[in-house]
Amino acid sequence: MKAFKYLMVFIFLNASIICLAQQESTPTDEVIVHDPVAIKSNGKYYLFCTGRGIAMFSSEDLEEWKREAPVFSKKPEWADSVVPNFGNHIWAPDITEFEGSFYLYYSVSAFAKNTSAIGLAINKTLDVDSPDYKWEDQGIVIESIPNRDLWNAIDPNLIFDEEGTPWLSFGSFWEGLKLVKLSSDLKSIAVPQEWETIARRERSFKILDKNPGDAALEAPFIFRKQDWYYLFISWDLCCRGENSTYKVVVGRSKSVKGPFLDKTGKSLVNGGGTLVLEGNEKWYGAGHNSVYTFDGKDYMFFHAYDAEDGAKPKLKIKELHWKDNWPIELILE
């Protein structure tokens, strides 16, 4: 009888261990995120997204994700100088490998205000078990100030042009999305400064400058494929659950600086955009995308609001296909 009891305890403990192991990973469609970006390093995928301290996940196969510790256990030292009493809820990161290190841009902002700044953190590795794993904050790269700037320093995305020059696209609402040339170390704006407006929608004239306005666009992401630069942007409204109207449109250009034109030839600066993704009866709004090539396939990462699960924002990963050098519209199921 005693041996039987020990056997039952052993089985129970092992079952508990298995259960805990299963709980460590979450299927893609059940991962709750906003604004996902990804990278592959040493055979493993890493996901970063909006969250307290910047949420981080890892995966072996793009199907099951393990939550890792946040990038920042406490808010960046400079954050309160931009947003007083900042709660460490950091928005819309962007991850890039450069010269053997990992560069993570991120957004510190006050909701519905362009009281915002884009910061940068650098790490030698993404392996959380490595003794070299340590995020080192570099401070502010770009800052926007109400009543001074008609743009918003959030939603950064780094792109290198065909000559290896770094450019940072960013922005939301106000007078549109911007592109600025960075210094060679990626830590500041290059001098002399080079700025471009790469996308905008019509803003009502009478709205005060401090107000985001009604020109609903944000989250630029530039993806280079062959001889084209593709600018993906999110239109309409995020973060409103069942009332979310988020969608993704695209334009393309032979130059990283634009002009980016849609399929009809209309510039994204003049409100153009060819639809790539939108919500449906199962997924309310879908957007804030990023695009990557992994193992010879192109993928779009984004979030969408699950109509069958309380409109929670879920991670979506879809293979992106092309026709006549344009991305084919994705259908959500």
Side-chain angles (χ1 to χ4, degrees):
M1 179 62 74
K2 185 179 290 186
F4 176 76
K5 289 181 178 178
Y6 285 144
L7 177 61
M8 294 305 295
V9 169
F10 176 81
I11 293 172
F12 174 79
L13 290 175
N14 275 274
S16 298
I17 291 170
I18 291 171
C19 182
L20 288 172
Q22 290 174 340
Q23 290 175 351
E24 286 183 354
S25 63
T26 305
T28 294
D29 280 352
E30 295 302 319
V31 177
I32 297 176
V33 302
H34 272 112
D35 318 327
V37 294
I39 195 168
K40 187 177 183 181
S41 176
N42 293 326
K44 182 177 285 189
Y45 302 93
Y46 295 90
L47 185 78
F48 298 86
C49 56
T50 291
R52 191 167 300 278
I54 306 177
M56 178 179 175
F57 298 81
S58 64
S59 174
E60 303 284 350
D61 54 12
L62 292 179
E63 295 179 1
E64 297 283 334
W65 294 89
K66 176 185 175 184
R67 180 180 285 276
E68 306 288 357
V71 170
F72 292 111
S73 59
K74 57 182 180 180
K75 60 188 171 185
E77 293 182 357
W78 55 267
D80 282 346
S81 69
V82 175
V83 180
N85 301 313
F86 183 66
N88 200 29
H89 191 259
I90 299 175
W91 299 352
D94 182 67
I95 184 71
T96 302
E97 185 174 5
F98 176 69
E99 295 186 346
S101 292
F102 297 89
Y103 286 65
L104 185 70
Y105 294 90
Y106 60 90
S107 313
V108 168
S109 183
F111 190 76
K113 298 180 180 180
N114 63 338
T115 304
S116 309
I118 293 169
L120 170 64
I122 300 176
N123 203 330
K124 294 180 180 179
T125 178
L126 296 181
D127 180 359
V128 297
D129 296 321
S130 170
D132 294 326
Y133 181 83
K134 181 182 179 181
W135 290 103
E136 296 183 345
D137 192 47
Q138 308 298 308
I140 297 173
V141 179
I142 300 172
E143 182 177 2
S144 57
I145 298 175
N147 297 316
R148 184 195 74 177
D149 304 311
L150 273 176
W151 44 269
N152 194 13
I154 66 170
D155 297 357
N157 172 239
L158 178 67
I159 180 73
F160 293 90
D161 66 19
E162 64 274 14
E163 297 177 352
T165 303
W167 298 84
L168 195 72
S169 63
F170 62 93
S172 73
F173 285 74
W174 278 272
E175 280 290 334
L177 311 182
K178 306 297 180 181
L179 181 79
V180 64
K181 184 178 178 181
L182 293 184
S183 59
S184 59
D185 64 3
L186 312 185
K187 297 179 181 180
S188 61
I189 299 173
V191 178
Q193 294 189 9
E194 291 187 45
W195 291 72
E196 303 286 344
T197 297
I198 53 175
R200 65 183 298 276
R201 299 177 81 181
E202 186 174 354
R203 174 185 170 94
S204 296
F205 178 75
K206 294 183 179 181
I207 294 175
L208 296 176
D209 288 354
K210 67 179 182 180
N211 191 303
D214 50 2
L217 78 169
E218 58 190 9
F221 193 95
I222 300 177
F223 177 68
R224 186 182 178 192
K225 186 176 179 66
Q226 299 175 345
D227 295 330
W228 293 99
Y229 294 90
Y230 295 87
L231 173 59
F232 296 86
I233 61 177
S234 293
W235 274 3
D236 300 336
L237 301 178
C238 166
C239 315
R240 288 164 172 78
E242 63 183 13
N243 296 316
S244 298
T245 54
Y246 237 16
K247 56 183 65 69
V248 176
V249 300
V250 69
R252 70 182 188 184
S253 173
K254 291 287 188 176
S255 169
V256 73
K257 295 189 289 185
F260 294 92
L261 308 180
D262 66 16
K263 277 188 176 182
T264 70
K266 187 175 183 179
S267 172
L268 269 62
V269 171
N270 295 323
T274 295
L275 185 68
V276 179
L277 173 70
E278 65 180 339
N280 54 31
E281 68 279 1
K282 292 184 177 180
W283 300 94
Y284 293 122
H288 206 117
N289 78 289
S290 55
V291 180
Y292 308 96
T293 302
F294 293 137
D295 301 319
K297 296 181 179 180
D298 297 332
Y299 294 92
M300 179 181 285
F301 290 66
F302 57 95
H303 70 255
Y305 298 91
D306 191 344
E308 298 177 356
D309 190 14
K312 294 176 182 176
K314 301 286 187 66
L315 173 64
K316 305 293 285 183
I317 304 172
K318 293 290 186 180
E319 187 175 349
L320 196 60
H321 298 281
W322 304 80
K323 182 179 181 181
D324 300 326
N325 293 317
W326 285 99
I328 297 173
E329 183 179 347
L330 294 170
I331 304 299
L332 286 175
E333 299 174 353

